[in-house]
């Protein structure tokens, strides 16, 4: 069972991992460590993959939410009876691994080790511009965190994230400074820097942050990618998990 998650030096001292697709039991298009309960993968394989993640982190439970590209951050004190709709979680409870799923969106893990507060957020473009990162930071601060560090895991990179002009206009209409997160592509297409945008929002909220630098779209061996699946016309895709625990 060789899961080998990626980690961040900023989160040293707090058990965490940006898990790749390696080390799981799923097969076919989900081959490897698919942790997406919403996928059409065999349910028992997903359960086993999630169990392996919790075990790797030394946690009793891997906790996730029903992600809806929102700005909602919820506090976790015990395993759910029913998953809430949210895109970020915070806790001070040991033994709970907060896990966010992704397949191009930006997974963000946060910690204030001294205060004993951790968080995890799922930040696609909707969540990022909508304020999910500020929401998880505020929720952690309300629980006593004041020296937050964060790491953004594997997500789609700017060179692979082509969007239309109306997408760019939505950002630039909100703040003209956001134009710096777009590069010119072919014709009227633009290329959006999702990890760069997420870093800016975290740092503006007073968080020391970094990106691991891995592109999900460009590395099929290690990562699942929703956009790559769409380009190929495939019916479904696996989900990566990024998790952190006290």
């Amino acid at each position: 069972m060789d899961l080998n998650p990626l980690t961040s030096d900023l989160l040293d001292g707090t058990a965490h991992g940006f898990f790749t697709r390696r080390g799981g039991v799923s097969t076919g298009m989900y081959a490897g460590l698919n942790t997406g309960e919403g996928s059409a993968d065999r349910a028992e394989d997903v359960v086993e993959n999630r169990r392996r993640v919790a075990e790797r982190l030394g946690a009793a439970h891997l906790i996730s939410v029903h992600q809806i590209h929102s700005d909602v951050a919820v506090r976790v004190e015990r395993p759910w009876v029913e998953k809430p709709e949210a895109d970020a979680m915070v806790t001070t409870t040991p033994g709970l691994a907060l896990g966010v799923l992704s397949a191009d969106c930006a997974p963000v893990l946060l910690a204030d080790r001294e205060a004993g507060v951790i968080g995890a957020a799922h930040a696609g473009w909707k969540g990022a511009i909508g304020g999910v990162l500020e929401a998880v930071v505020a929720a952690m601060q309300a629980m006593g965190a004041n020296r937050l560090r964060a790491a953004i895991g594997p997500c789609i990179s700017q060179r692979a994230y082509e969007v239309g002009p109306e997408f760019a206009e939505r950002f630039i209409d909100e703040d003209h400074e956001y134009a710096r997160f777009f590069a010119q592509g072919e014709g009227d297409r633009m290329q959006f820097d999702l990890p760069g945008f997420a870093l800016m929002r975290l740092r503006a909220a007073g968080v020391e942050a970094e990106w691991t630098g891995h592109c999900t779209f460009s590395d099929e061996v290690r990562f699942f990618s929703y956009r790559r699946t769409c380009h190929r016309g495939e019916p479904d895709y696996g989900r990566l998990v990024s998790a952190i625990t006290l």
Side-chain angles (χ1 to χ4, degrees), residues 59-113:
H61 304 278
L62 175 61
I63 309 296
S64 55
V65 291
H66 179 53
Q67 297 172 183
I68 56 172
H69 298 278
S70 69
D71 65 347
V72 178
V74 294
R75 180 168 179 166
V76 185
E77 296 179 335
R78 61 186 63 86
W80 309 122
V81 174
E82 184 176 348
K83 284 186 184 180
E85 292 187 340
D87 284 273
M89 296 167 283
V90 298
T91 194
T92 56
T93 303
L96 302 181
L98 306 182
V100 289
L101 306 184
S102 62
D104 284 337
C105 291
V108 184
L109 302 180
L110 310 93
D112 181 334
R113 184 183 175 192

Side-chain angles (χ1 to χ4, degrees), residues 21 102-107 153-162 191-192 194-195 211 213-234 237-238 240:
R21 63 187 295 177
S102 62
D104 284 337
C105 291
C155 61
I156 194 166
S157 66
Q158 184 172 24
R159 69 181 182 275
Y161 200 174
E162 189 175 73
Q191 293 171 313
F192 177 53
L194 174 61
W211 175 40
H214 298 85
C215 176
T216 47
F217 181 89
S218 305
D219 188 343
E220 183 178 4
V221 173
R222 287 193 290 179
F223 308 119
F224 296 115
S225 167
Y226 167 74
R227 178 162 286 218
R228 189 173 62 235
T229 294
C230 290
H231 283 200
R232 294 177 175 177
E234 295 170 344
Y237 57 98
L240 304 164

Side-chain angles (χ1 to χ4, degrees), residues 128-210:
I129 197 171
V132 70
L133 298 175
E134 290 82 357
V136 72
V137 168
M140 293 178 71
Q141 290 172 335
M143 298 171 74
N146 54 46
R147 297 185 63 182
L148 281 169
R149 293 182 170 189
I152 300 170
C155 61
I156 194 166
S157 66
Q158 184 172 24
R159 69 181 182 275
Y161 200 174
E162 189 175 73
V163 298
E166 68 287 345
F167 182 105
E169 288 167 7
R170 176 169 181 169
F171 279 76
I172 296 168
D173 285 347
E174 179 162 318
D175 190 329
H176 288 296
E177 290 295 317
Y178 291 169
R180 65 191 173 99
F181 297 104
F182 293 88
Q184 187 64 51
E186 293 186 11
D188 68 348
R189 311 305 288 175
M190 306 293 288
Q191 293 171 313
F192 177 53
D193 183 5
L194 174 61
F197 185 76
L199 280 173
M200 179 275 295
R201 298 286 291 231
L202 286 166
R203 290 167 177 166
V207 180
E208 184 179 357
E210 67 177 10

